[in-house]
């Protein structure tokens, strides 16, 4: 007989009856297990979809290059880089059609080693404005870093063609041409630059250097002596000057200038070694981010958003109190919004802090002059003349102030003559023409206007003044 639950020994009928309903539980358990499997399979599917979506998103939306740099930086530097990234991203999002917005992004990316991405920003800027000279210059800088000399030369040349009055672009172009062995071409570029900017020390120093291998030793000495007279600390002028003098047989003079070169070179190398020992990363990053705030502020100000521009400038100044361009612009905004006392205070402090800076005195004077603060502007321009008595800028600025204010016509005439004597450039002959006209000397005014128009025949302002003086009885 087969043993079953019913005939097992020791089990009663009551027990058998109480357990008899357990038979239907088996299919219920199977269904519950099936439901749980479906649930976990669904969860796994959703997780897989999420992972795939994240992979696709990361592939199509790579992290910002600046954030990539920030990931490997020290905490304080990383925080600044994230701030800079947000500033740049917001700027190009708000002003996608403004080449200056893309220039800000490009400058930040280039500054922190993301050169490919920086190049894309400047290419975008040039698509928006093919006459955006800064874009060509920046692409030239990148090409030079890569050693692509011919490409760099073409970029610098294009920038110079767009801004012919620049004294920076032709010097950069000449430097590349020299590295590429195109000395005669560099000579022509620098000669043209000096025709427009005869007191440009970088242009004269470079021209003097290339005239030595071109064996024009006398001209080389003339240019290089000019440079070291204007700036005795100009290290790189001494060695080619020594070489040129040696070729001319002036051995003692050559030795003297060679010794001076070696002395300055040792000093420069010592300063460089000291700089390397300093912890300079954080201050340099702060300065770069402050510069970005300044550039973005200019975009907002150009569009009439004064409050945002001022907020950005304040943040830039907080990051780098030594950024020289911020205080004059802040003062200009405060003058513009009727806060004359605050603006005047800023510029006075600025002039005092940078008392030996020509650029600072000229910038302060320009803002004071625009808002008719005659005495303050006059003091700033006089200080500029004291700092650089051999330069034309201070004399021309003070002459222009007197002309615009209708004061001291004779003094304006004398100052304009001094400016032209130091730099016979078209813009200074134009100021001389105006000053002579105000001083009642029509023949001198006509002669100066003719010279300005001759030096820059495409300038409509010069031509109009010349025609007006020709009609004067």
């Amino acid at each position: 007989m087969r043993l079953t639950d019913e005939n097992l020994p020791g089990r009663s009928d009551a027990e058998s009856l109480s357990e008899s309903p357990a038979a239907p539980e088996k299919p219920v358990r199977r269904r519950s297990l099936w439901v749980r499997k479906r649930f976990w399979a669904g969860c796994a599917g959703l997780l897989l979809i999420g992972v795939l979506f994240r992979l696709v998103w990361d592939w199509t939306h790579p992290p910002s290059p600046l954030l990539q740099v920030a990931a490997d930086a020290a905490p304080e530097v990383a925080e600044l880089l994230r701030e800079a990234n947000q500033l740049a991203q917001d700027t190009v999002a708000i002003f996608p059609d403004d080449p200056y917005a893309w220039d800000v992004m490009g400058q930040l990316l280039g500054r922190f080693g993301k050169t490919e991405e920086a190049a894309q920003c400047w290419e975008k800027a040039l698509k928006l404005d093919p006459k955006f000279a800064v874009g060509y210059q920046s692409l030239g800088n990148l090409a030079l870093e890569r050693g692509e000399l011919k490409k760099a030369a073409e970029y610098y040349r294009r920038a110079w063609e767009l801004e012919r009055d620049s004294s920076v672009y032709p010097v950069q172009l000449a430097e590349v041409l020299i590295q590429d062995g195109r000395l005669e071409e560099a000579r022509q570029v620098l000669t043209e630059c000096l025709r427009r900017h005869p007191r440009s020390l970088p242009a004269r120093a470079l021209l003097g250097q290339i005239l030595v291998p071109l064996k024009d030793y006398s001209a080389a000495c003339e240019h290089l002596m000019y440079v070291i007279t204007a700036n005795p600390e100009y290290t790189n002028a001494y060695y080619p000057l020594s070489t040129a003098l040696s070729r001319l047989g002036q051995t003692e003079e050559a030795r003297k200038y060679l010794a001076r070169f070696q002395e300055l070179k040792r000093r420069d190398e010592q300063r460089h070694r000291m700089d390397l020992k300093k912890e300079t990363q954080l201050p340099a990053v702060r300065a770069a981010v402050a510069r970005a705030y300044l550039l973005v502020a200019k975009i907002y100000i150009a569009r009439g958003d004064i409050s945002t521009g001022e907020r950005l400038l304040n943040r830039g100044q907080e990051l780098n109190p030594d950024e020289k361009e911020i205080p004059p612009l802040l003062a200009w905004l405060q003058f513009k919004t009727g806060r004359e006392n605050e603006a005047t205070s800023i510029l006075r402090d600025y002039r005092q802090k940078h008392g030996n800076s020509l650029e600072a005195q000229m910038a302060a004077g320009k803002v004071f002059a625009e808002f008719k603060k005659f005495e303050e502007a006059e003091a700033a321009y006089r200080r500029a003349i004291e700092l650089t008595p051999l330069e034309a800028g201070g004399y021309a600025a003070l002459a222009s102030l007197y002309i615009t204010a209708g004061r001291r016509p004779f003094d304006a005439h004398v100052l304009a003559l001094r400016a032209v004597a130091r730099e016979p450039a078209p813009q200074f002959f134009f100021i001389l023409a105006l000053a002579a006209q105000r001083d009642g000397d029509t023949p001198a005014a006509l002669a100066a206007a003719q010279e300005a128009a001759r030096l820059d025949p495409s300038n409509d302002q010069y031509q109009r003044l010349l025609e007006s003086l020709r009609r004067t009885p």
Side-chain angles (χ1 to χ4, degrees):
M1 181 181 71
R2 198 177 74 175
L3 294 177
T4 64
D5 287 343
E6 289 79 9
N7 53 29
L8 283 173
R11 292 180 66 91
S12 65
D13 292 341
E15 289 174 335
S16 299
L17 288 173
S18 65
E19 293 179 0
S20 61
E25 288 183 5
K26 192 171 184 180
V28 172
R29 287 175 180 171
R30 287 177 180 173
R31 184 176 180 182
S32 175
L33 181 61
W34 179 81
V35 170
R36 286 196 297 271
K37 287 181 177 179
R38 290 290 301 270
F39 172 77
W40 288 114
C43 291
L46 289 174
L47 181 61
L48 179 61
I49 291 171
V51 170
L52 290 173
F53 178 80
R54 180 57 185 268
L55 290 173
V56 172
W57 177 268
D58 289 345
W59 182 68
T60 56
H61 297 78
S64 163
L66 285 178
L67 294 183
Q68 294 174 8
V69 178
D72 298 325
E76 288 181 292
V77 172
E79 184 178 352
L80 284 169
L81 289 173
R82 287 190 290 269
E83 181 180 348
N85 177 70
Q86 191 64 53
L87 174 68
Q89 295 283 2
D90 290 347
T91 304
V92 296
I94 296 170
F95 307 111
D97 298 327
D98 191 327
Y100 289 96
W102 290 99
D103 178 52
V104 173
M105 178 72 84
Q107 289 201 33
L108 283 170
L109 290 170
R111 169 63 180 79
F112 296 106
K114 296 296 182 178
T115 55
E116 292 298 329
E117 295 86 345
Q120 293 171 10
C121 291
W122 286 311
E123 287 165 0
K124 172 70 173 177
L126 288 169
K127 285 181 182 178
L128 294 170
D129 181 6
K131 295 184 177 181
F132 188 57
V134 173
Y136 289 107
Q137 180 198 30
S138 300
L139 289 172
N141 294 340
L142 291 183
L144 180 59
E145 287 180 13
R146 299 189 191 108
E148 299 172 348
L149 300 180
K150 288 181 172 53
K151 185 179 288 188
E154 287 308 308
Y155 282 131
Y156 290 142
R157 193 184 303 278
R158 182 66 178 133
W160 189 31
E161 288 171 353
L162 291 170
E163 293 187 7
R164 206 62 180 173
D165 285 335
S166 171
S167 63
V168 175
Y169 300 149
V171 170
Q172 290 182 305
L173 172 58
E175 288 175 335
V176 173
L177 292 173
I178 292 169
Q179 291 184 49
D180 202 26
R182 297 148 69 180
L183 299 186
E184 189 56 48
E185 194 175 346
R187 178 182 189 170
Q188 295 171 9
V189 168
L190 292 168
T191 300
E192 172 61 19
C193 175
L194 287 171
R195 187 182 69 81
R196 292 172 177 268
H197 306 281
R199 296 194 66 82
S200 171
L201 297 187
R204 281 194 180 272
L206 266 186
L207 183 55
Q209 290 174 35
I210 64 174
L211 287 174
V212 175
L214 290 175
K215 300 183 178 180
D216 193 348
Y217 304 124
S218 296
C221 289
E222 179 183 346
H223 288 295
L224 295 167
M225 285 297 297
Y226 181 98
V227 171
I228 65 172
T229 300
N231 181 7
E233 304 296 304
Y234 208 110
T235 304
N236 291 337
Y238 284 93
Y239 185 79
L241 176 58
S242 171
T243 303
L245 289 169
S246 178
R247 297 290 190 275
L248 291 171
Q250 301 180 35
T251 309
E252 289 302 318
E253 286 292 297
R255 288 175 180 168
K256 180 179 74 172
Y257 289 117
L258 179 59
R260 178 61 174 158
F261 167 75
Q262 292 169 339
E263 176 188 346
L264 291 173
K265 195 70 175 175
R266 283 193 297 270
R267 182 205 63 182
D268 294 345
E269 289 173 353
Q270 183 178 7
R271 287 178 178 175
H272 181 63
R273 285 193 296 270
M274 291 178 65
D275 289 340
L276 290 176
K277 293 178 181 178
K278 296 177 182 177
E279 184 62 39
T280 58
Q281 186 182 26
L282 182 59
V285 173
R286 291 175 68 92
V289 178
R291 183 75 185 172
Y293 271 103
L294 169 64
L295 296 176
V296 175
K298 288 181 178 181
I299 296 173
Y300 279 94
I301 293 167
R303 294 170 178 264
D305 190 343
I306 301 296
S307 60
T308 302
E310 185 170 358
R311 176 176 58 80
L312 294 169
L313 288 174
N314 283 326
R315 176 55 180 157
Q317 189 168 46
E318 179 184 348
L319 287 171
N320 182 20
D322 294 327
E323 173 57 66
K324 289 184 180 180
E325 285 191 51
I326 290 180
L329 189 51
L330 265 177
W332 183 89
L333 290 179
Q334 291 177 350
F335 271 127
K336 202 76 173 172
T337 52
R339 292 171 286 168
E340 292 190 6
N341 290 337
E342 293 177 41
T344 301
S345 177
I346 286 176
L347 289 179
R348 284 176 178 170
D349 292 344
Y350 176 67
R351 285 194 57 220
Q352 184 175 5
K353 180 178 179 179
H354 303 287
N356 294 322
S357 167
L358 172 65
E359 293 79 9
Q361 301 304 316
M362 295 290 283
K366 183 178 180 180
V367 177
F368 277 133
E370 181 176 347
F371 292 96
K372 303 187 186 322
K373 298 293 182 180
F374 179 84
E375 287 76 14
E376 298 279 4
E378 183 182 33
Y381 289 146
R382 287 200 178 280
R383 177 57 181 159
I385 293 172
E386 291 174 4
L387 290 171
T388 55
L390 299 178
E391 299 290 330
Y395 297 99
L398 187 53
S400 296
L401 176 67
Y402 289 157
I403 293 167
T404 304
R407 302 187 185 188
R408 303 179 183 173
F410 176 75
D411 290 344
H413 194 171
V414 172
L415 288 164
L417 284 169
R418 290 176 178 171
V420 165
R422 285 156 177 79
E423 185 173 344
Q427 65 270 27
F428 299 139
F429 276 107
F430 177 70
I431 293 171
L432 176 58
L434 293 175
Q437 184 184 36
R438 292 292 180 91
D439 197 30
D441 191 344
T442 302
L446 180 60
Q450 288 173 332
E451 186 63 13
R454 184 188 70 80
L455 292 171
D456 189 359
S458 62
N459 190 299
D460 293 336
Q461 191 177 24
Y462 300 169
Q463 296 293 342
R464 287 195 299 270
L465 177 61
L466 179 59
E467 291 302 317
S468 172
L469 288 169
R470 281 172 174 167
R471 291 194 299 269
T472 302

